[in-house]
Amino acid sequence: MHRYLRSRGCFLIGAILVSLAGASSAFAGGNPCNPCAPKNPCAASNRIDAKLVTRPAGSKLFAGKPEDLRREGEMLWNSKSLSSNGLACATCHQSNAAFNASFAKPYPHLVGMVKERSGMKKIALDEMVQFCMLAPMASKPLAWDARELAALTAYASEVQKHFKPEPGSTAAPKNPCAPANPCAAGKK
């Protein structure tokens, strides 16, 4: 019952703020029901411009030896050096997990988080790496011909080859951003 009242209370507070201050400015200071949303690197409210993650026509990934790129990609996957907030690919994908079942499908394909935040209906694997650079890693996209982008894409492709979704599972994986959420239990 308490959870029900709390959620109804947030709705009412939001409705009152909208009616008093106008929809455009009511939430300028953040969501009163979730004051931590602006600090959460995975918060879905942050829109991403699709142009930032869409590979320009005619551009090509860095070409290198596939095994070297995969090895370098694995190191980068586990490194926090590319982010501005201390996250690595492995932060969300610990032990190469926390992928939706669609990760097993060939790219380009629909990725829910990408559609919600950028409106893109399909995304290629290298573009997905760029998307993750922006959110949740809070960094800038890599240059399209950067060795790092080619390496991360090569490693993600290797991870994808060995990914097996749970049979019959339609549930989303556990929230991979919970460990990075500054308001998660014990982090306030």
Side-chain angles (χ1 to χ4, degrees), residues 7-55:
S7 68
R8 296 293 271 183
C10 285
F11 174 77
L12 291 173
I13 289 169
I16 291 167
L17 285 172
V18 169
S19 67
L20 291 176
S24 62
S25 63
F27 297 104
N31 180 344
C33 301
N34 185 3
C36 297
K39 299 177 197 168
N40 182 350
C42 297
S45 63
N46 300 334
R47 298 287 297 165
I48 291 179
D49 184 351
K51 293 178 208 161
L52 294 173
V53 298
T54 301
R55 185 179 345 117

Side-chain angles (χ1 to χ4, degrees), residues 37-121:
K39 299 177 197 168
N40 182 350
C42 297
S45 63
N46 300 334
R47 298 287 297 165
I48 291 179
D49 184 351
K51 293 178 208 161
L52 294 173
V53 298
T54 301
R55 185 179 345 117
S59 64
K60 295 184 179 177
L61 289 179
F62 175 87
K65 292 181 181 176
E67 185 54 40
D68 292 345
L69 290 173
R70 282 191 296 271
R71 193 172 26 258
E72 184 178 342
E74 183 175 13
M75 289 186 329
L76 291 169
W77 184 271
N78 292 292
S79 172
K80 298 174 183 177
S81 66
L82 295 176
S83 75
S84 68
N85 59 7
L87 298 181
C89 302
T91 304
C92 294
H93 303 291
Q94 296 170 6
S95 302
N96 297 331
F99 293 106
N100 283 314
S102 65
F103 184 64
K105 295 179 182 178
Y107 279 91
H109 66 249
L110 174 71
V111 175
M113 177 175 72
V114 174
K115 185 174 187 249
E116 289 171 16
R117 298 195 55 190
S118 71
M120 295 173 70
K121 294 180 182 171

Side-chain angles (χ1 to χ4, degrees), residues 82 128-135 137-142 152:
L82 295 176
M128 189 68 226
V129 170
Q130 296 285 44
F131 188 91
C132 288
M133 291 302 301
L134 293 168
M137 294 174 68
S139 191
K140 293 180 180 179
L142 298 164
L152 282 167

